[in-house]
Amino acid sequence: MVGSDIGWMLMSTALVLLMTPALGFFYAGLVRSKNSLNTLMMSVVSMGFVGLAWALLGYSLAFAPEVAGIGGIDHALLRGVGLEAKGTIPHLLFMAFQGTFAIITTALISGAIVERMRFPAYVAFITAWSLLVYAPVAHWVWGGGWLGRLGALDFAGGTVVHITAGTAAFVAAVILGPRKDYARQALVPHSVPLTVLGAGLLWFGWFGFNGGSALAANGQAALAFVNTMFAPAATLVVWTILDMMRTAKATAVGIATAIVVGLVAVTPAAGYVSPLGAMAIGALAAFPSYLAVLVRARTRLDDSLDVVAAHGVGGVVGALLTGVLAQRSWGSPADGLLFGNPSQLGIQALAVVVVIAFTAAVTTGILLLVKVVSPIRAALRHEGIGLDVSEHGEEAYGHSEGAVLVLPEMRAAMTVAPLAPAFGAQGDKA
Amino acid sequence: MKLVVAIIRPECLTAVLEGLFQADVRGLTITRAQGHGGETEHVETYRGTTVKMALAEKVRLEIGVSDHFVEPTIATILAAARTGEVGDGKVFVLPVERVYRIRTGEHDQAAVTPVQESAAGTPGE
């Protein structure tokens, strides 16, 4: 084992974990204030439920020796995952680093279903999804599975993380249906500064996401790190110019979105392409995602925070451009189309199509199953008062005026107990 | 006694307050408000969503004054809050039935007279 590698991977693991609350802030700023805590919670809760599911079972399904096309259960309950070397770092650290990816991937999906999904149903959904979609795909690409053996290139998770999340977001938005006010009222962000702060923290954490995916403190890590800096820079510039051309104004939400799109697009390529290649990926990725954001808003698809446009479209563009711009001379296992290996683009396209189809099918199954057990959609009146109060009994920006302290002796005499059951009991079948 | 209610642009508030203090009008309350005064709505864009903001930020002043302060108060607001553009706001002058000063129980004329002048007054009258 190598001390510097261990040090960098410890730090990278913490950096990637930070991305999940960062995503929570990015998303929370974009919703109405009455749903901001609920939106933040949808990301943060993943660190617990998906984190635990990963350690107990998910890691094994992704990285244990293959059984029937996915990882077996040899590493379930962390059996055989100790301080022995995995590459040049402790196996346990490798498991934790990979766990932070599972956590953020499930949290990404929440952007498509904010302001209307019941919280318990959401938690059940993402926990199951991390085991039934994320872990198998991670196995196929990184755990020794068939896509990896076929030669599909995915340095840090363009396919495993972003295409799966983008596809699941599309499916979830369709199954849940649009918010009651969607396309009827102006639904505008309640705190753009929160969104920009979240985007900044996401970028910071992404240095661990991409840089750490080298699994060592080496030249490839440095390449991935630098590409993580300059690809989003290129996206930001192009996005801002597009904004200026369309509305004559550069927007803060636009810049925050551009940063995420650029980071998504460079993720599969980060350790495989030249810095100029990364800038090209960042710049090119701006166009389809920008268009997707505009088009989506004119449809009935209430992918509320544009997860499909940012992560789905951005992920596909990144995966395909990796097949174009990858270079052996920069450490890639295979050259891309531009460097004399056109078949790589075909492999990338195959991986994209297969992962989209698998994710769509299994996500649909999970959501329909959850729906059988309990309603997935919040009652209309809860949507009206906001999910912060109805789901959590809290307010993001509460003020104490009018808050009367409930003393223990009064609590016993209270006939109307917590808000949610009282509201829910009044025949909300909607 | 009158209650002067003025709806003005927030960016004019400082000038209005300075003018009122110079005119010795000292008792007032302000509230942030939103309103529509026929001005052009501004447009905001959030990703693919374009919205027209139909309500503009305004400040609402409420000033209870004794009769001889009514005209100076109105004149000050008209002068300080006017930009000449649509959306400068309104001034309403309302009759007041009764006024009480909570601290002393003084009412009517005494209750809207600045403190230093009525300090010697009899509480409860």
Side-chain angles (χ1 to χ4, degrees):
Chain A
M1 285 194 267
V2 179
S4 56
D5 291 351
I6 299 172
W8 170 232
M9 294 310 295
L10 287 168
M11 190 192 258
S12 289
T13 305
L15 282 170
V16 184
L17 192 67
L18 177 69
M19 289 169 65
T20 295
L23 180 76
F25 285 115
F26 179 82
Y27 280 169
L30 291 172
V31 299
R32 292 169 291 178
S33 55
K34 64 183 177 181
N35 297 306
S36 53
L37 275 186
N38 176 250
T39 303
L40 186 57
M41 289 274 283
M42 282 184 162
S43 287
V44 173
V45 74
S46 175
M47 295 197 287
F49 285 85
V50 175
L52 208 59
W54 180 257
L56 298 181
L57 184 57
Y59 175 71
S60 187
L61 297 180
F63 289 98
E66 189 164 303
V67 175
I70 62 165
I73 55 168
D74 289 4
H75 290 321
L77 306 178
L78 296 183
R79 260 180 310 157
V81 183
L83 299 180
E84 72 283 1
K86 169 104 179 170
T88 60
I89 62 170
H91 193 175
L92 199 59
L93 177 55
F94 176 79
M95 183 280 300
F97 178 69
Q98 295 296 343
T100 58
F101 282 60
I103 289 167
I104 180 105
T105 307
T106 54
L108 288 171
I109 305 167
S110 67
I113 44 84
V114 292
E115 302 197 310
R116 61 197 187 279
M117 188 165 186
R118 281 183 65 250
F119 196 68
Y122 168 78
V123 171
F125 164 59
I126 61 163
T127 308
W129 192 91
S130 76
L131 298 174
L132 300 175
V133 178
Y134 182 81
V137 175
H139 178 77
W140 294 348
V141 179
W142 293 332
W146 70 280
L147 281 175
R149 291 200 297 270
L150 198 66
L153 294 177
D154 188 2
F155 184 71
T159 306
V160 177
V161 172
H162 298 290
I163 294 178
T164 57
T167 307
F170 179 87
V171 170
V174 169
I175 292 181
L176 251 87
R179 288 166 289 180
K180 72 182 177 72
D181 298 333
Y182 179 68
R184 293 193 181 86
Q185 292 180 18
L187 304 172
V188 299
H190 90 282
S191 174
V192 178
L194 216 52
T195 296
V196 178
L197 176 71
L201 287 174
L202 276 170
W203 198 343
F204 181 69
W206 225 295
F207 285 111
F209 194 93
N210 289 350
S213 287
L215 299 172
N218 57 15
Q220 192 177 40
L223 176 65
F225 193 102
V226 169
N227 285 346
T228 303
M229 181 165 163
F230 289 103
T235 319
L236 192 158
V237 169
V238 173
W239 199 285
T240 303
I241 292 169
L242 291 172
D243 254 357
M244 296 289 294
M245 286 166 58
R246 185 168 70 100
T247 66
K249 292 186 172 74
T251 63
V253 171
I255 281 182
T257 309
I259 289 170
V260 173
V261 168
L263 288 164
V264 167
V266 81
T267 290
Y272 298 152
V273 301
S274 69
L276 283 177
M279 288 178 220
I281 290 174
L284 289 171
F287 295 96
S289 288
Y290 194 95
L291 188 68
V293 164
L294 293 189
V295 170
R296 198 278 304 161
R298 285 159 179 69
T299 67
R300 285 300 289 162
L301 176 69
D302 187 9
D303 169 17
S304 317
L305 309 182
D306 290 304
V307 186
V308 176
H311 299 275
V313 175
V316 169
V317 168
L320 296 180
L321 288 179
T322 302
V324 174
L325 291 163
Q327 271 179 277
R328 278 179 185 279
S329 55
W330 282 96
S332 171
D335 278 324
L337 171 72
L338 213 60
F339 301 93
N341 180 21
S343 67
Q344 187 60 43
L345 185 57
I347 298 173
Q348 297 298 105
L350 174 72
V352 166
V353 171
V354 169
V355 168
I356 288 176
F358 173 78
T359 304
V362 181
T363 305
T364 306
I366 297 170
L367 274 172
L368 294 181
L369 200 66
V370 173
K371 201 174 176 178
V372 170
V373 179
S374 84
I376 54 174
R377 180 83 193 231
L380 281 182
R381 60 193 308 162
H382 288 177
E383 215 181 308
I385 61 172
L387 269 54
D388 286 3
V389 171
S390 79
E391 297 295 305
H392 308 293
E394 293 176 296
E395 285 176 78
Y397 307 99
H399 45 78
S400 56
E401 289 95 346
V404 180
L405 183 65
V406 178
L407 297 169
E409 59 270 28
M410 293 159 67
R411 187 183 291 267
M414 270 170 66
T415 49
V416 183
L419 186 59
F423 268 88
Q426 291 170 13
D428 264 318
K429 297 290 180 222
Chain B
M1 278 177 323
K2 300 287 181 193
L3 178 64
V4 178
V5 175
I7 314 291
I8 63 167
R9 296 178 187 276
E11 62 267 32
C12 295
L13 177 63
T14 308
V16 169
L17 287 179
E18 280 170 4
L20 289 172
F21 291 147
Q22 272 167 21
D24 274 334
V25 179
R26 294 180 187 283
L28 55 84
T29 304
I30 75 150
T31 323
R32 292 175 174 279
Q34 291 184 304
H36 187 89
E39 62 265 62
T40 336
E41 295 107 341
H42 72 270
V43 172
E44 295 181 4
T45 311
Y46 300 95
R47 290 185 175 168
T49 306
T50 305
V51 294
K52 210 164 62 171
M53 305 310 279
L55 294 175
E57 294 291 325
K58 302 288 175 191
V59 170
R60 174 190 169 103
L61 292 121
E62 287 166 290
I63 314 169
V65 290
S66 48
D67 289 332
H68 65 283
F69 270 110
V70 174
E71 290 311 319
T73 302
I74 295 168
T76 301
I77 297 172
L78 290 183
R82 178 177 295 155
T83 69
E85 302 288 321
V86 177
D88 276 351
K90 294 279 185 295
V91 178
F92 304 93
V93 182
L94 291 73
V96 173
E97 192 172 307
R98 277 190 285 178
V99 182
Y100 290 89
R101 174 173 278 138
I102 293 174
R103 175 172 55 85
T104 59
E106 290 165 289
H107 58 87
D108 299 342
Q109 192 68 28
V112 292
T113 304
V115 175
Q116 60 269 38
E117 293 174 34
S118 65
T122 317
E125 273 286 299

